[in-house]
Amino acid sequence: MASKVMSMQQAVSRWVPNGAKVAIGLCLESMIPFAVGHEIIRQERRNLHLIGPISDMLFDQLIGAGCVTGVEAAWVGNVSAGLGHCYRRATETGFPHPLQVTDHSNFTISLALQAASLGVPFLPTRSLLGSDIARSPAFEPMQWHGEPLLAVKAVRPDVAVVAVQRSDADGNAHAWGNLGIAEEAVMAAENIILVADEIVSREVALSDPNRVLAPAFKVRAVVHCPGGCHPSPLQGRHKRDHTFYHEYHKATRTPEGMQQWLQEWVYSMPDRAVYLQKLGADRWNQLTAVRSAPAATVDYGW
């Protein structure tokens, strides 16, 4: 089997075309593959439809860069600082593009992806009944033996982008920590891009088969990208850079400020290694000074 390991540029060029439905930022506030988002911006992808739960400021950056015309999510913004300025401008004024927003809760977006993974058109829920979110076109009222329910329509991404702690060259990936709705998304998506902090041997990956995140046959690209989740945390590897979120929030209050931020942190950064150099060794070393807390050994013998 040919290795699936490729550069970030190659992965985005091949598997994130214009108009794609992209599930990304799937682990809530952690393990958000910002490096992929920045490469999408550099390659000037357009008319993307983003899918995710609480997708923090990665969605905001992609919207502000003009890459997005549709969002299907539970929340978009900047968790540490508040609302995302680019998201707000797009929804209120249509700048830089009008934005079609389909509202979900964290629970129902996971149901929508799970429905797609099962090959069914919807999954029913009682959740959201009586709320304004239930008016979203993502749902359809239904009844079961006279009981009111909501049908959560299936959502099938063209590609799911997931950050993992380690993967082998075939796409057998290990991820741990808060996985959010990553498992539902990778099973629903047509294609998967893995952003791996470390590339390991097949023997290491298969030594813990219960931890493998997704079927390797669905994985199209494995990108080795240490630090690819900054400023979000990656369990066991680096902490959350709270300061960076607040710096972004302050810098992007205006469209001009957003363009300056993109020039400084995205357009002038050819890859993640240069990005981390700009961040600075001292700051990165502080973030990677993670207290060790290894899990107990598991024996898969019989």
Side-chain angles (χ1 to χ4, degrees):
M1 180 183 297
S3 171
K4 298 176 183 177
V5 177
M6 63 183 69
S7 70
M8 186 72 75
Q9 292 89 343
Q10 290 172 318
V12 170
S13 177
R14 291 182 62 180
W15 300 109
V16 189
N18 290 336
K21 295 181 179 180
V22 183
I24 192 169
L26 301 162
C27 300
L28 304 179
E29 295 180 34
S30 63
M31 300 171 70
I32 301 173
F34 279 93
V36 178
H38 292 179
E39 183 59 30
I40 289 171
I41 293 171
R42 284 191 290 268
Q43 293 194 21
E44 298 184 342
R45 290 295 183 263
R46 293 293 181 262
N47 299 318
L48 299 181
H49 182 99
L50 301 182
I51 300 163
I54 298 175
S55 300
D56 225 319
M57 67 183 188
L58 177 56
F59 276 25
D60 195 65
Q61 292 172 14
L62 289 163
I63 292 167
C67 301
V68 183
T69 53
V71 169
E72 195 154 2
W75 187 81
V76 180
N78 186 343
V79 171
S80 290
L83 294 175
H85 297 306
C86 298
Y87 174 69
R88 183 166 185 170
R89 281 191 289 269
T91 55
E92 291 183 350
T93 70
F95 181 86
H97 296 297
L99 195 63
Q100 180 180 353
V101 178
T102 303
D103 287 322
H104 270 279
S105 69
N106 283 324
F107 177 58
T108 60
I109 191 64
S110 70
L111 286 182
L113 291 165
Q114 188 175 17
S117 73
L118 295 172
V120 297
F122 69 90
L123 283 176
T125 184
R126 295 185 181 89
S127 176
L128 301 183
L129 285 172
S131 74
D132 287 342
I133 299 178
R135 301 175 184 174
S136 166
F139 315 111
E140 189 171 317
M142 62 175 293
Q143 288 197 347
W144 177 254
H145 294 289
E147 178 185 3
L149 296 170
L150 277 182
V152 183
K153 299 176 185 177
V155 171
R156 182 176 297 280
D158 295 311
V159 59
V161 185
V162 186
V164 297
Q165 280 87 348
R166 63 193 182 203
S167 175
D168 69 11
D170 296 331
N172 296 298
H174 288 173
W176 55 90
N178 178 17
L179 299 182
I181 63 171
E183 293 172 296
E184 290 86 349
V186 295
M187 295 304 293
E190 293 288 338
N191 307 293
I192 300 169
I193 296 174
L194 296 176
V195 182
D197 201 64
E198 179 185 8
I199 302 296
V200 297
S201 68
R202 182 178 176 85
E203 288 71 27
V204 170
L206 297 186
S207 71
D208 194 353
N210 285 356
R211 200 183 298 278
V212 173
L213 180 66
F217 67 82
K218 295 189 71 175
V219 175
R220 307 295 180 236
V222 179
V223 179
H224 184 211
C225 188
C229 292
H230 178 271
S232 73
L234 181 63
Q235 187 95 40
R237 302 300 174 96
H238 59 81
K239 294 175 281 192
R240 192 175 197 271
D241 191 343
H242 294 280
T243 300
F244 197 92
Y245 282 85
H246 287 274
E247 290 171 346
Y248 171 81
H249 196 68
K250 182 178 179 180
T252 59
R253 288 185 181 275
T254 64
E256 296 77 17
M258 179 60 189
Q259 287 305 307
Q260 291 172 7
W261 188 91
L262 286 171
Q263 182 60 41
E264 180 179 3
W265 286 101
V266 180
Y267 295 127
S268 63
M269 302 287 109
D271 54 37
R272 183 61 27 158
V274 176
Y275 173 100
L276 292 178
Q277 288 176 7
K278 175 176 172 55
L279 189 70
D282 290 343
R283 187 169 179 175
W284 184 239
N285 289 338
Q286 290 177 359
L287 293 170
T288 55
V290 177
R291 179 179 62 85
S292 180
T297 301
V298 175
D299 189 344
Y300 286 106
W302 64 88

